[in-house]
């Protein structure tokens, strides 16, 4: 579980632990991961903190070697780590800003998926499931979000490629596209965010628990069944028909 220190990651980690998964909590900062671990332990679950930067290849390799050593195998990866990029007009984008977004939202997803794929291919019994956190921006962008939207569209390509290549090794790959989960990152939506026509308007949000439950459902499927893509969203948010 990457990005396990807060928000969707913390909620999904707790939900997976509650149904019996032993969860590896991956993230850059130890303190929030330890808070997630404590919350899981309080509920009777098992979790292990693995500090890592998903955008750094050596850090990811080390993290997944720790996972193999600690747990013996890897059955599910929720490839959740990502960063928001804010609204920046295309003409004002700086290349360093672009590279930072790509490093976390795309390269990080690739590196973790690759490391998980290698473990799942080598272990016995062979196989496992990779669940990539996409976004509804993988289908329809918000205004002034070229880097974020580009990376989320690219995650869909990663998901489909792994779903194809993993068939021979009993590795399933899924994507969950999440719209307006109620976390600290989306609090600004209560007061208003930019719409496709340039206006500002508040948007509906959903309890993050529903997202966590959806991840558990995907994770618990037998490997001969796959939800290739799931969209879960606040019913009245402006996604269908956006623009």
């Amino acid at each position: 579980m990457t990005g396990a220190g807060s928000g969707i990651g913390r909620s999904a980690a707790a939900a997976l632990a509650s149904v019996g998964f032993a969860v590896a909590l991956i993230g850059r900062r130890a303190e929030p991961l330890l808070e997630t671990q404590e919350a899981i332990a309080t509920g009777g679950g098992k979790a292990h903190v693995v500090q890592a930067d998903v955008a750094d290849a050596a850090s990811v390799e080390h993290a997944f070697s720790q996972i193999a050593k600690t747990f013996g195998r890897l059955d599910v990866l929720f490839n959740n780590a990502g960063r928001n990029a804010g609204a920046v007009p295309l003409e004002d984008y700086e290349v360093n800003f672009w590279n930072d977004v790509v490093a976390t939202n795309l390269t990080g997803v690739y590196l973790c998926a690759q490391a998980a794929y290698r473990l799942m291919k080598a272990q016995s019994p062979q196989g496992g499931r990779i669940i990539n956190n996409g976004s509804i921006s993988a289908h329809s962008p918000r205004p002034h979000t070229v880097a974020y939207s580009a990376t989320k569209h690219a995650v869909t390509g990663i998901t489909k490629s792994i779903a194809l290549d993993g068939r021979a090794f009993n590795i399933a790959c899924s994507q969950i596209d999440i719209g307006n989960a109620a976390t600290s990152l989306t609090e600004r939506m209560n007061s208003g965010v930019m719409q496709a026509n340039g206006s500002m308007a508040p948007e509906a949000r959903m309890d993050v628990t529903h997202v966590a439950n959806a991840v558990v459902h995907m994770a618990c499927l037998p490997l001969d069944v796959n939800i290739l893509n799931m969209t879960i969203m606040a019913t009245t948010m402006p996604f269908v028909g956006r623009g």
Side-chain angles (χ1 to χ4, degrees):
M1 162 81 65
T2 66
S6 63
I8 291 168
R10 176 174 289 180
S11 183
L16 287 165
S18 73
V19 297
F21 283 92
V23 185
L25 308 171
I26 302 174
R28 288 186 298 111
R29 296 185 298 125
E31 185 176 351
L33 296 176
L34 290 168
E35 291 172 358
T36 301
Q37 182 185 44
E38 183 178 356
I40 289 172
T42 299
K46 297 179 180 178
H48 182 77
V49 169
V50 183
Q51 196 171 354
D53 179 356
V54 299
D56 181 86
S59 184
V60 170
E61 183 178 356
H62 178 69
F64 279 80
S65 68
Q66 284 186 270
I67 289 169
K69 186 180 297 184
T70 301
F71 297 100
R73 62 179 291 112
L74 176 63
D75 293 303
V76 177
L77 167 67
F78 182 31
N79 215 352
N80 169 68
R83 58 160 290 179
N84 281 333
V88 180
L90 178 59
E91 66 271 21
D92 295 329
Y93 258 80
E94 296 181 359
V95 68
N96 288 340
F97 183 78
W98 167 274
N99 287 338
D100 285 346
V101 176
V102 170
T104 300
N105 289 4
L106 182 56
T107 303
V109 170
Y110 154 72
L111 289 173
C112 292
Q114 181 186 55
Y117 190 94
R118 285 170 172 164
L119 289 182
M120 292 171 178
K121 182 178 176 181
Q123 64 196 10
S124 181
Q126 191 177 61
R129 185 180 305 276
I130 297 168
I131 304 171
N132 293 322
N133 186 347
S135 169
I136 61 171
S137 289
H139 305 277
S140 183
R142 290 185 179 275
H144 305 316
T145 60
V146 64
Y148 185 83
S149 296
T151 58
K152 292 304 184 177
H153 276 71
V155 168
T156 301
I158 290 176
T159 299
K160 290 180 178 179
S161 291
I162 295 172
L164 175 60
D165 297 341
R167 290 175 182 173
F169 310 109
N170 205 28
I171 298 172
C173 190
S174 311
Q175 182 166 318
I176 183 165
D177 296 321
I178 302 164
N180 291 10
T183 69
S184 59
L185 292 177
T186 62
E187 285 180 1
R188 60 192 174 86
M189 293 179 176
N190 290 326
S191 56
V193 290
M194 186 179 292
Q195 303 299 303
N197 63 2
S199 66
M200 300 293 289
E203 293 189 8
R205 301 190 301 162
M206 62 181 166
D207 191 316
V208 70
T209 301
H210 299 305
V211 177
N213 290 340
V215 171
V216 169
H217 174 65
M218 297 169 84
C220 290
L221 290 172
L223 291 177
D224 61 347
V225 179
N226 190 34
I227 296 172
L228 180 62
N229 186 270
M230 175 192 287
T231 299
I232 183 168
M233 54 180 272
T235 303
T236 59
M237 69 170 292
F239 169 54
V240 178
R242 183 189 292 181

